[in-house]
C-alpha cells in the first residue's frame, strides 16, 4: 500500500504541469521510448511501495494527452506488469492530475476497471469522463463497448492486440 499525501502530491504535480507545458514533443522517439520505460519502472515502484515523482506524473499526463501511442500503451501494459499494480498506478495518476489533463488516463482506468470486472464502477467513471469531454474518441468507444455489454475478456483481448501493435512485441 502506498503512503501518499494526495493534497501535497496534487499541488506538486500541478506545478510540474505548468513547468513542463509546451516542452513535450510527441514526435521525439527517444523521449517517447524513455517515457514508456519510465512508466514500466514506475509500475514496478508502485509494486514496491514507491510513489512516482510529481515530475514523472506530469510528464505522463502531458504525453498521454498529446500522444495516442503513449495512451494506447497503457491499454495493454498489464501484459507486461501485474494488472493490480497497473490499476494502482493509473488510479494514483488520475487522483493527482488536474481533471482536464486526466481524461486519457481516466478513460484508460475505465478500461482497466472493466477488465477486472468492476463494470458498474467503470460505467460510472466513464459518465464523469464523458461529462468532462463528450467528444473524447476513446471514451466514446468504451461507451459503445459498455452499452453492448462486451464480455471483459473480449475487451482485454482488444487491449492486448492494441498493445502488441503499439509496442511491436
Amino acid at each position: 500500500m502506498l503512503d501518499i499525501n494526495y493534497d501535497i502530491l496534487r499541488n506538486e504535480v500541478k506545478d510540474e504541469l505548468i513547468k513542463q507545458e509546451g516542452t513535450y514533443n510527441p514526435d521525439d522517439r527517444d523521449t517517447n521510448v524513455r517515457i514508456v520505460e519510465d512508466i514500466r519502472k514506475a509500475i514496478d515502484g508502485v509494486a514496491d511501495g514507491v510513489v512516482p515523482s510529481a515530475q514523472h506524473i506530469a510528464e505522463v499526463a502531458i504525453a498521454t494527452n498529446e500522444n495516442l501511442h503513449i495512451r494506447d500503451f497503457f491499454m495493454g501494459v498489464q501484459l507486461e506488469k501485474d494488472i493490480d499494480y497497473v490499476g494502482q498506478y493509473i488510479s494514483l495518476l488520475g487522483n493527482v492530475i488536474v481533471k482536464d489533463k486526466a481524461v486519457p488516463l481516466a478513460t484508460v482506468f475505465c478500461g482497466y476497471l472493466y477488465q477486472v470486472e468492476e463494470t458498474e464502477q467503470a460505467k460510472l467513471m466513464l459518465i464523469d469522463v464523458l461529462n468532462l469531454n463528450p467528444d473524447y474518441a476513446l471514451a466514446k468507444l468504451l461507451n459503445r463497448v459498455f452499452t453492448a455489454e462486451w464480455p471483459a475478456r473480449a475487451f482485454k483481448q482488444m487491449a492486448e492486440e492494441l498493445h502488441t501493435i503499439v509496442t511491436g512485441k
Side-chain angles (χ1 to χ4, degrees):
M1 188 75 180
L2 298 174
D3 183 26
I4 303 170
N5 183 322
Y6 281 101
D7 291 331
I8 291 172
L9 186 57
R10 196 172 289 116
N11 286 328
E12 290 173 352
V13 169
K14 192 177 194 181
D15 291 344
E16 276 296 325
L17 283 167
I18 292 167
K19 272 199 260 184
Q20 293 183 31
E21 194 67 43
T23 63
Y24 173 69
N25 176 0
D27 298 321
D28 182 342
R29 186 181 189 302
D30 292 339
T31 297
N32 292 328
V33 168
R34 181 187 53 74
I35 290 170
V36 165
E37 288 305 314
D38 288 350
I39 291 167
R40 288 177 173 125
K41 290 175 190 171
I43 293 168
D44 289 341
V46 166
D48 293 334
V50 177
V51 177
S53 71
Q55 180 180 3
H56 167 79
I57 294 169
E59 184 174 52
V60 170
I62 291 168
T64 57
N65 275 275
E66 296 185 25
N67 188 326
L68 293 178
H69 294 293
I70 301 288
R71 183 211 60 198
D72 290 350
F73 169 77
F74 273 107
M75 294 294 292
V77 72
Q78 75 276 3
L79 292 172
E80 302 176 24
K81 304 292 178 185
D82 182 287
I83 193 166
D84 292 330
Y85 295 121
V86 171
Q88 283 182 28
Y89 173 73
I90 297 172
S91 177
L92 165 67
L93 271 59
N95 280 309
V96 297
I97 297 169
V98 292
K99 284 189 178 201
D100 65 320
K101 295 286 187 199
V103 168
L105 289 168
T107 306
V108 169
F109 192 64
C110 291
Y112 158 79
L113 290 170
Y114 197 76
Q115 288 181 59
V116 296
E117 300 184 17
E118 295 285 339
T119 54
E120 289 310 309
Q121 188 177 354
K123 289 175 182 179
L124 290 172
M125 187 169 186
L126 187 61
I127 290 168
D128 292 340
V129 170
L130 287 167
N131 285 334
L132 280 171
N133 188 342
D135 297 322
Y136 192 63
L138 181 58
K140 288 168 43 174
L141 172 66
L142 285 181
N143 193 43
R144 288 192 299 272
V145 166
F146 295 175
T147 301
E149 297 183 1
W150 271 26
R153 69 185 177 325
F155 182 77
K156 183 178 180 181
Q157 182 179 0
M158 181 186 73
E160 289 172 354
E161 290 170 5
L162 180 61
H163 191 72
T164 301
I165 292 167
V166 170
T167 62
K169 296 179 183 178

